[in-house]
Amino acid sequence: MSNLWLDFEKPINELENKINELIGIIGKEEELKKLRKEVDSVKKKVFSNLSRWQIVQLARHPKRPYTLDYVKRIFDDFMELHGDRTFRDDPAIVAGIGAIEGKTVILVGHEKGRDTKEKIKRNFGMPYPEGYRKALRIFKLAEKFNIPIITMIDTPGAYPGIEAEERGQSEAIARNLKEMATIKVPIIVFVTGEGGSGGALAIGVGDRIYMLEYSTYSVISPEGCASILWRDSKMAPKAAESLKITAKDLLSFGIIDDIVPEPLGGAHRDVSKMAETIKSKILKTIDELQSIPVSELINQRIDKFRKIGKYKEK
Amino acid sequence: MFFKKKKPLTGKKKDIPEGLWLKCKKCGEILYKKELDNNLWVCPKCGAHFRISSKIYINLLFDNGEIEELDVDMESIDPLGFPKYKDKLKNSKAKTSLKDGVISGKAFIGGFPVAFAITDFSFMGGSMGSVVGEKIARLIRFGREQRLPVIILTSSGGGARMQEGIFSLMQMAKTSAELALLSKEGIPYINILTHPTMAGVMASFASLGDIIIAEPEALLGFTGPRVIEQTIRQKLPPGFQRSEFLLEHGMIDMVVSRKEIREVLISLLRMFNYAGFKSRAS
């Protein structure tokens, strides 16, 4: 079990183990109270000053909640929909229709899979072109029936393989970018874990882009960047600093709209609470976006991406 | 006694590599550079296409070899303070006499006015940062506003420019969104893919043409072959990710020799014209 935790989480875990041992033992209430206070202050201390590389590790945490973990907790009713109607169902992307407090919502998200068997089935959350084509089919379904779309991004990237190239990985991503720009329903994007480059963006064009506090979004993985720059993937921590890939960075660049706060210690320490926060963000944002006329919504969406870029002109 | 050697005259033929003779990388033939230049940098023996600069392409594609450039003054800044990016930009500018990796503007081809952009591999691998993204997006918008067919030629092995981080990634969405608007106006969009066009460029505006043309044997794809080999721990099949491979897999419309691209474009524009597409009178 120990390899499921990060090094900098160890002091927190030691205290929590002590707490768990004392729970229910008569006469230990005072000690328990003290320990709980202590663990809170340790968490605050560790999490108040995370490096970008530590945030990368949290975004990839083996215990990090994935799309289906949130679906279970956010939706009152959910049916998964499968397949791109052309080639195959790609389990690295899940899609479905569901209800949240009486509102019908379409969801599309990456899914990494929890145990080894599921990870293999889901290709560690790295989609093939058919995954993106499934996503697009479901976006069109949402548009046809005027249902708002939620997407959840958590992928190392689009799958780099022979078959993926044969079936047009580039085309599948490009087409989604183009089509999502003018889909006539609200699209709300959450980066929940790893926002791995084009493979993330391919379901990431929307009216509101939110990032969970300890998620990342980057043009290239820190390892990939490090091996190009310094010919050494072990320099990834330094690359993460240079690439500026955290929610705070992207908010400061004006690329995302908001940061969704995580429970103290990260989303994996209290999945229900995290899901609750996301749910209220979804409901609030849907209300907000549904009050905007559709043509205006699309103008704003295009304008949002149209404005991104830093350059100088004489 | 001493004398100074006269420096060879440069300027006009600046884009031609040094020396009189070149060896073809494919067939090994030793080629006279002037002959190669006359043959549009296609090996007369084996047909291999040498990589050429954006300026040579403009020269060979358009009427009078001319383009009326747009956004000539746009330059990259270093939005992340990324290690050595400023130096890279400086070196690339000096090496290429370009301001960044793209030229865009209005040109005529067989008398048809078009909106044209071209990325240049010699400027940081033709990678797309904010300047390339913005100039491409503006060019597409220019095509929409002027009702001009949009033609984009890419030589962008670098994909999205890593040194501008998330700003580069978002250029993919930006250029694609402009293409969505262009498409709704019923204006033709044509891609010409040359060696190499990969990653963030291939996975955005370079894959969205109504018609996609590729030069022979160009490397085209999402992930670079080396990364794929490392991931799957297998040798890649011969011809993998080359133009002919993409044609076979239904990803592009045609493979066209550089020597015929101009004529093919004129034919296509003529057919769109017959079909009722009219540029705004200009």
Side-chain angles (χ1 to χ4, degrees), chain A residues 12-294:
Chain A
I12 299 167
N13 288 353
E14 277 165 22
L15 285 167
E16 287 200 329
N17 289 342
K18 270 189 205 163
I19 289 170
N20 287 337
E21 281 166 21
L22 293 179
I23 287 174
I25 297 172
I26 298 160
K28 296 282 184 187
E29 291 83 359
E30 270 310 300
E31 198 179 333
L32 207 53
K33 217 171 134 188
K34 223 179 95 194
L35 278 169
R36 282 198 168 121
K37 240 181 161 170
E38 201 187 331
V39 79
D40 262 9
S41 82
V42 171
K43 273 189 200 168
K44 267 181 201 150
K45 201 178 152 209
V46 171
F47 276 74
S48 65
N49 204 11
L50 293 171
S51 70
R52 289 189 176 90
W53 181 243
Q54 284 174 316
I55 293 173
V56 169
Q57 289 172 288
L58 282 168
R60 297 172 179 170
H61 201 295
K63 287 180 165 290
R64 185 107 182 142
Y66 300 141
T67 299
L68 289 176
D69 298 312
Y70 292 128
V71 166
K72 262 184 264 170
R73 289 166 175 88
I74 291 172
F75 284 82
D76 309 319
D77 192 4
F78 183 80
M79 269 170 285
E80 200 180 333
L81 303 171
H82 293 276
D84 69 343
R85 299 291 188 272
T86 301
F87 184 72
R88 179 182 83 111
D89 183 50
D90 186 346
I93 286 187
V94 293
I97 184 167
I100 308 175
E101 299 203 348
K103 276 185 202 294
T104 304
V105 170
I106 287 279
L107 177 125
V108 172
H110 299 101
E111 177 59 49
K112 287 179 167 173
R114 188 64 56 191
D115 58 37
T116 308
K117 200 176 147 201
E118 209 202 342
K119 278 188 205 307
I120 290 166
K121 174 184 153 194
R122 299 195 180 277
N123 202 26
F124 300 83
M126 293 182 283
Y128 280 81
E130 50 269 26
Y132 297 114
R133 290 179 181 133
K134 167 166 76 175
L136 183 58
R137 180 178 78 82
I138 303 296
F139 295 150
K140 294 279 184 185
L141 182 81
E143 185 178 47
K144 184 171 176 183
F145 297 104
N146 196 26
I147 304 167
I149 297 165
I150 310 296
T151 72
M152 290 191 176
I153 290 175
D154 186 12
T155 180
Y159 184 63
I162 293 179
E163 298 85 354
E165 295 290 325
E166 284 176 339
R167 298 199 284 271
Q169 191 70 284
S170 300
E171 191 274 347
I173 293 169
R175 194 199 303 214
N176 279 17
L177 300 181
K178 181 184 168 195
E179 296 292 332
M180 287 184 88
T182 55
I183 290 269
K184 293 188 190 78
V185 291
I187 304 174
I188 307 166
V189 178
F190 288 88
V191 183
T192 56
E194 273 182 286
S197 198
L201 186 63
I203 59 165
V205 178
D207 304 296
R208 294 290 182 275
I209 322 286
Y210 300 136
M211 281 177 77
L212 268 53
E213 193 174 357
Y214 305 125
S215 66
T216 57
Y217 203 170
S218 180
V219 68
I220 187 170
S221 71
E223 289 86 349
C225 175
S227 48
I228 293 172
L229 270 191
W230 300 294
R231 313 219 165 265
D232 183 4
S233 62
K234 288 192 193 75
M235 299 285 275
K238 198 179 163 198
E241 290 300 317
S242 303
L243 285 165
K244 301 196 168 63
I245 58 180
T246 67
K248 255 191 216 163
D249 292 325
L250 269 72
L251 188 69
S252 78
F253 297 148
I255 284 172
I256 60 165
D257 296 280
D258 205 0
I259 296 173
V260 185
E262 296 193 18
L264 193 56
H268 58 289
R269 299 237 171 221
D270 193 342
V271 183
S272 297
K273 193 174 167 195
M274 188 72 250
E276 202 51 50
T277 312
I278 295 174
K279 181 177 165 178
S280 64
K281 195 83 184 162
I282 291 174
L283 291 170
K284 203 172 146 237
T285 310
I286 289 178
D287 276 348
E288 194 185 315
L289 295 175
Q290 281 183 332
S291 71
I292 304 171
V294 150

Side-chain angles (χ1 to χ4, degrees), chain B residues 33-57:
Chain B
K33 208 182 278 177
K34 209 169 160 191
E35 188 193 355
L36 200 52
D37 190 37
N38 289 337
N39 205 36
L40 311 182
W41 295 86
V42 175
C43 173
K45 195 177 172 216
C46 73
H49 283 49
F50 285 66
R51 196 156 57 217
I52 57 175
S53 73
S54 46
K55 285 171 185 168
I56 298 181
Y57 268 118

